[in-house]
Amino acid sequence: MSDTLFAKIIRREIPAAIVYEDDDVLAFRDIQPQAPVHVLFVPKRAVPTLNDLGPADGGLVGQLVLAAAAYAKREGFAEAGYRTVINCNGDGGQSVFHIHLHLLAGRQMGWPPG
Ligand code: 5GP
């Protein structure tokens, strides 16, 4: 496993407010939340960016989306709505190079994003 910040969180070397875990995915609260709910869904298998995904990785991305949607339903804000975002590289605003899906909720989201 590569040694990003998120790899250290997955290995429990750095603390995080974990809200969900299964065999393949860990989800924890963003340390700098951009909405009342801001959770990061991270695959335990490290892939740096969306550009590094191959044809066999559809399941990995699907698991992040499904875990986020299930969390929204469990937490009761699925009907009100939410936003999911995967940033990629510099122009996308990615700062941690271990793929992750942001789940943002609890306020009206603007469009287009800044
Ligand atoms: P990115 O910019 O790569 O799409 O998202 C990285 C996210 O990780 C940012 O929203 C940032 O606030 C969050 N983050 C950075 N350092 C930490 C940390 O130590 N703990 C947690 N929980 N989140 C972090």
Side-chain angles (χ1 to χ4, degrees):
M1 192 182 282
S2 66
D3 216 24
T4 64
L5 172 64
F6 291 171
K8 289 178 181 158
I9 289 175
I10 290 165
R11 296 198 302 264
R12 307 300 205 268
E13 292 169 12
I14 292 176
I18 292 168
V19 298
Y20 173 77
E21 180 169 23
D22 63 29
D23 287 347
D24 302 313
V25 176
L26 188 72
F28 49 89
R29 296 192 192 286
D30 197 293
I31 206 166
Q32 217 175 333
Q34 302 301 313
V37 176
H38 188 171
V39 174
L40 303 173
F41 288 80
V42 180
K44 290 184 179 175
R45 179 161 69 86
V47 178
T49 80
L50 286 179
N51 295 336
D52 301 301
L53 292 170
D57 293 323
L60 178 146
V61 177
Q63 282 177 303
L64 299 183
V65 174
L66 290 174
Y71 180 80
K73 285 183 188 157
R74 270 199 312 280
E75 293 297 310
F77 58 80
E79 290 306 317
Y82 54 92
R83 178 167 293 173
T84 58
V85 175
I86 301 177
N87 296 323
C88 182
N89 279 342
D91 281 1
Q94 185 174 6
S95 60
V96 178
F97 290 86
H98 179 138
I99 280 182
H100 49 284
L101 179 143
H102 296 254
L103 172 63
L104 299 139
R107 66 167 170 83
Q108 179 66 57
M109 303 293 155
W111 193 264

